[in-house]
Amino acid sequence: MSLVELSSSLLPVIEKELQHQVSRLNEPYTHHFYEMLAYHMGWIGKGSGPGAQGKRIRPLLLLLTVAACGSDWEPALPAAAAIELVHNFSLVHDDIQDNSDKRRGRDTVWVQWGIPQGINAGDALFVLSNNALMDLAITYSATTILNAAKTLHEACLDLTRGQYQDISFEKHSDLTIGDYWLMINGKTAALLSAACVIGSILSNANETTQKAYRDFGHYLGLSFQVQDDFLGIWGNAGTTGKSIESDLISRKNTLPILYGLEKNGEFARRWNEAPVHPEDVADLADQLASEGARTFTEETAYKLSNMAQQFLHMAAPQGEAGEALFQLTNKLLSREA
Amino acid sequence: MSLVELSSSLLPVIEKELQHQVSRLNEPYTHHFYEMLAYHMGWIGKGSGPGAQGKRIRPLLLLLTVAACGSDWEPALPAAAAIELVHNFSLVHDDIQDNSDKRRGRDTVWVQWGIPQGINAGDALFVLSNNALMDLAITYSATTILNAAKTLHEACLDLTRGQYQDISFEKHSDLTIGDYWLMINGKTAALLSAACVIGSILSNANETTQKAYRDFGHYLGLSFQVQDDFLGIWGNAGTTGKSIESDLISRKNTLPILYGLEKNGEFARRWNEAPVHPEDVADLADQLASEGARTFTEETAYKLSNMAQQFLHMAAPQGEAGEALFQLTNKLLSREA
């Protein structure tokens, strides 16, 4: 079975488990509260449907890892839901923190229900992730569940660290590429790494294998983010769904931009001089490329992607799920630029 | 040993454990993030000290319950810290949701560092509560820890439900006393109840005892809130630290106010007619009392307090800690009006 076939059988089951977990709040007197969460998850309201639900990469990685370690993935579904709920908690709060009014083309939760309920909806998704983990007790030993929980909680701490750095960095213009790695480790890599580690824990994989999956997830996350940063400047709007070169306009602290600022050449001069207007974007992207940022970003993504693949080889994933993990890695890291 | 003596030996140890748990974020590159949390906890910054730290009722209840069930309280410290961290996470977010600029006389976190970092600081306290629970593994079996964790996670779900209702209720003027009970169950009673249940779980108390502690904590919480509502209108500013009769000015949905609105008499007419000004407060409080709200609130607090004491008798707490639990109940529920 290919990744496409495996995904098409796993994704509906993941969605069903997520719906089951979130339905804890679907009671008569909190029905409207439940609806906020169901709206964010893409199940109800204007624009709901698969396009509004996200790619569910983290639960997919977790279940594929369980299967690639030779175990049945089905009992691991509550853990898969837990990690996706954590991711969504962070998105709901991130949208408030970034003052973003749209996510996947739809109004964000705080736009629909206000900031106070938006904060509370995010909190609820986080609490639900904890509740979901407890459902693992149907199948797994208490010790195994605690190991999985500890891994997730550590990743959540990294997530808040990364978020702290991201918010702080918006106010500072003297960021270095070193700061960047700390930030994306927390914001992107920690949860992808935890998904793989938890998958290997639930399969009773040995320490060496767990460590290989941890590093695989870590480098997958870093590489994915660098790739995303590349696309944010030199990506094709048609394939990424973003308006072309938007990171230059939104002044995000991405790898190529930080590279250009560290170079302190013509790009940095123009960047610091004035806000970037849509008509300047193409020219500024070329300037950034001419100073080496494009090549540097591509090479970095390539190196990180190689690291991810090496660690996946070390983890020695088995069977169709193992092949699917290699395919998923390739797919995530070679989106059309 | 009296409650005062027990508290004065427990509180410094609780504070030390809290500092240990929060110090997970005290690393070179997240030191400033750590400082936000340490500021909120009352350890550093302007106005820090015991007065800024809160009463630590929840960890105190948890540790006293452990001891009153005949076990050593010391290994339970990470659980005591976890429940206080959850409480503080909810305070930090509550201050943003209520637009409150002061807590215990000091600037709130969001006032000092902005809403985005305020949200993230609350999130971090919540994550740290999960990390703290994992430290129980030094002493307790994995099964016991999972039972404690499940209890805390359920209470957190109730907390977000209560918060949802509180925020919703601010926009509606047709609230009933029935709605009120749902709200304070989540906002106040759930966590106090969980503190007692977790204490009994960590002592390996039997199901009947656990249930008695659960109900004790539940009615203690309800009674405490009703008492607080009473003081919000008829309390003495000097003993409560609130400006006199502030709930009438801040238009909080408290029990006596909802009682008056349900009566639909002169109080309700004046309440709905215009905002309450400081010079009207004394007269309006008298009007509310003359319609029976003061007696109703006192009687309700008295009944709930009796329920709490009955369940505590059923739980049969032992030794000095048991006596201290009775004393704590009396102290919490008979603050000077």
Side-chain angles (χ1 to χ4, degrees):
Chain A
M1 240 191 308
S2 70
L3 172 65
V4 175
E5 287 167 314
L6 256 178
S7 297
S8 68
S9 63
L10 287 176
L11 287 173
V13 191
I14 290 170
E15 217 57 33
K16 205 177 154 195
E17 178 68 22
L18 282 166
Q19 286 167 343
H20 167 68
Q21 293 297 341
V22 175
S23 72
R24 277 179 216 267
L25 284 173
N26 194 6
E27 296 153 338
Y29 61 93
T30 55
H31 179 68
H32 187 57
F33 186 26
Y34 163 78
E35 285 181 331
M36 295 177 198
L37 309 185
Y39 170 84
H40 169 79
M41 297 299 290
W43 302 326
I44 63 168
K46 204 176 163 188
S48 59
Q53 289 165 12
K55 293 187 286 290
R56 309 301 190 215
I57 295 295
R58 290 154 192 80
L60 203 56
L61 262 180
L62 191 151
L63 296 180
L64 288 175
T65 304
V66 172
C69 290
S71 296
D72 185 10
W73 54 264
E74 212 166 343
L77 276 167
I83 205 149
E84 185 65 15
L85 289 166
V86 168
H87 174 58
N88 280 277
F89 131 73
S90 79
L91 295 180
V92 170
H93 282 186
D94 204 47
D95 287 338
I96 302 171
Q97 291 159 327
D98 289 349
N99 201 32
S100 306
D101 53 4
K102 295 282 178 194
R103 176 165 293 280
R104 299 184 196 112
R106 304 164 83 214
D107 282 354
T108 46
V109 172
W110 72 269
V111 167
Q112 285 275 327
W113 288 283
I115 288 176
Q117 290 292 22
I119 295 172
N120 195 46
D123 291 343
L125 288 168
F126 194 14
V127 175
L128 286 166
S129 78
N130 278 331
N131 296 121
L133 281 185
M134 298 297 108
D135 282 357
L136 293 170
I138 301 162
T139 310
Y140 300 95
S141 76
T143 308
T144 300
I145 299 170
L146 277 190
N147 283 340
K150 200 173 155 89
T151 303
L152 186 58
H153 301 333
E154 290 291 337
C156 288
L157 208 57
D158 279 340
L159 201 61
T160 68
R161 283 187 185 107
Q163 193 66 358
Y164 157 73
Q165 288 159 334
D166 197 13
I167 300 168
S168 306
F169 290 172
E170 279 169 24
K171 294 191 183 161
H172 301 288
S173 54
D174 54 349
L175 293 185
T176 65
I177 289 176
D179 298 323
Y180 170 87
W181 294 118
L182 287 174
M183 177 182 77
I184 72 164
N185 175 52
K187 288 206 59 161
T188 311
L191 219 48
L192 285 166
S193 180
C196 299
V197 175
I198 293 171
S200 67
I201 288 172
L202 296 180
S203 302
N204 273 315
N206 62 38
E207 288 279 324
T208 312
T209 306
Q210 285 183 30
K211 200 183 161 311
Y213 274 113
R214 187 192 73 194
D215 293 338
F216 160 62
H218 175 75
Y219 286 104
L220 183 70
L222 297 184
S223 174
F224 180 72
Q225 186 59 56
V226 172
Q227 181 83 358
D228 203 56
D229 286 2
F230 180 92
L231 296 174
I233 293 183
W234 298 287
N236 180 316
T239 52
T240 63
K242 290 186 179 183
S243 73
I244 194 160
E245 287 132 334
S246 64
D247 285 354
L248 285 170
I249 290 177
S250 61
R251 300 185 77 82
K252 277 170 79 175
N253 287 308
T254 71
L255 186 63
I257 292 172
L258 292 176
Y259 179 92
L261 292 176
E262 285 197 8
K263 278 269 159 182
N264 205 18
E266 175 65 11
F267 170 81
R269 195 191 59 73
R270 288 175 60 182
W271 178 264
N272 291 321
E273 194 177 64
V276 179
H277 297 291
E279 61 270 25
D280 307 326
V281 152
D283 191 42
L284 201 58
D286 285 347
Q287 178 63 40
L288 193 54
S290 78
E291 295 181 19
R294 182 175 173 137
T295 308
F296 171 74
T297 306
E298 278 178 317
E299 283 176 359
T300 305
Y302 181 75
K303 278 182 206 159
L304 292 167
S305 152
N306 268 354
M307 294 286 279
Q309 270 157 339
Q310 275 178 39
F311 282 112
L312 187 56
H313 273 290
M314 278 177 60
Q318 284 158 39
E320 288 165 344
E323 283 169 43
L325 277 177
F326 278 107
Q327 287 176 44
L328 182 65
T329 308
N330 288 331
K331 192 183 159 198
L332 283 178
L333 304 179
S334 61
R335 291 173 301 167
E336 282 179 45
Chain B
M1 241 194 303
S2 69
L3 172 64
V4 174
E5 288 167 313
L6 258 177
S7 297
S8 67
S9 63
L10 287 176
L11 287 173
V13 191
I14 290 170
E15 217 57 33
K16 205 177 153 195
E17 178 68 23
L18 282 166
Q19 285 167 345
H20 167 68
Q21 293 298 339
V22 175
S23 71
R24 276 178 218 268
L25 284 172
N26 194 7
E27 297 153 337
Y29 60 93
T30 56
H31 179 70
H32 188 58
F33 186 27
Y34 163 79
E35 285 182 330
M36 296 179 196
L37 309 185
Y39 170 85
H40 169 79
M41 296 301 287
W43 302 326
I44 63 167
K46 206 177 163 187
S48 59
Q53 288 164 13
K55 292 186 287 290
R56 312 297 192 217
I57 296 294
R58 291 154 192 80
L60 204 55
L61 263 180
L62 190 150
L63 296 180
L64 288 175
T65 304
V66 171
C69 290
S71 296
D72 184 10
W73 55 263
E74 211 164 344
L77 276 167
I83 206 150
E84 185 65 14
L85 289 166
V86 168
H87 175 56
N88 280 278
F89 131 73
S90 80
L91 296 180
V92 171
H93 282 185
D94 205 46
D95 287 338
I96 302 170
Q97 290 160 327
D98 290 349
N99 202 32
S100 305
D101 53 6
K102 294 283 177 192
R103 172 163 299 277
R104 302 186 193 111
R106 305 165 82 216
D107 282 354
T108 45
V109 173
W110 71 269
V111 167
Q112 286 275 330
W113 289 283
I115 289 178
Q117 288 294 21
I119 295 172
N120 195 46
D123 292 343
L125 288 168
F126 194 14
V127 175
L128 287 166
S129 79
N130 278 331
N131 296 122
L133 281 184
M134 298 297 108
D135 281 357
L136 293 170
I138 300 162
T139 310
Y140 301 96
S141 75
T143 308
T144 301
I145 300 169
L146 276 190
N147 283 339
K150 199 174 155 91
T151 303
L152 187 59
H153 301 333
E154 290 290 337
C156 289
L157 208 56
D158 278 340
L159 201 63
T160 67
R161 284 185 183 107
Q163 193 66 359
Y164 157 73
Q165 287 159 335
D166 198 14
I167 300 168
S168 305
F169 290 174
E170 279 168 27
K171 294 193 182 161
H172 301 290
S173 54
D174 55 349
L175 292 186
T176 65
I177 290 178
D179 296 324
Y180 170 85
W181 293 119
L182 286 175
M183 178 182 76
I184 71 164
N185 175 54
K187 287 206 62 164
T188 311
L191 219 48
L192 285 166
S193 181
C196 299
V197 175
I198 292 170
S200 67
I201 287 170
L202 296 181
S203 302
N204 271 316
N206 62 37
E207 288 278 323
T208 313
T209 306
Q210 285 184 30
K211 200 183 160 312
Y213 274 112
R214 185 192 73 194
D215 293 339
F216 160 63
H218 175 74
Y219 286 104
L220 183 71
L222 296 184
S223 175
F224 180 73
Q225 186 59 56
V226 172
Q227 180 84 358
D228 202 56
D229 287 2
F230 180 91
L231 296 174
I233 293 182
W234 298 288
N236 179 315
T239 53
T240 62
K242 290 186 178 183
S243 71
I244 195 160
E245 287 130 336
S246 65
D247 285 355
L248 285 169
I249 290 176
S250 60
R251 299 185 81 82
K252 277 171 77 175
N253 289 308
T254 72
L255 186 63
I257 292 171
L258 292 176
Y259 179 92
L261 293 176
E262 285 196 8
K263 278 270 160 181
N264 205 17
E266 177 64 11
F267 170 81
R269 196 192 59 73
R270 288 174 59 182
W271 178 265
N272 291 321
E273 197 178 62
V276 179
H277 297 292
E279 62 270 24
D280 307 327
V281 153
D283 192 43
L284 201 58
D286 285 347
Q287 178 63 40
L288 193 55
S290 78
E291 294 180 20
R294 183 176 172 134
T295 309
F296 171 75
T297 306
E298 280 178 316
E299 284 177 0
T300 304
Y302 182 74
K303 279 183 206 161
L304 291 168
S305 153
N306 268 353
M307 295 285 281
Q309 270 157 339
Q310 276 179 37
F311 281 111
L312 186 56
H313 273 291
M314 279 179 58
Q318 285 159 38
E320 289 165 344
E323 283 169 42
L325 277 178
F326 278 107
Q327 287 175 45
L328 182 65
T329 309
N330 288 331
K331 192 185 159 199
L332 282 180
L333 304 179
S334 61
R335 292 174 299 169
E336 282 179 44

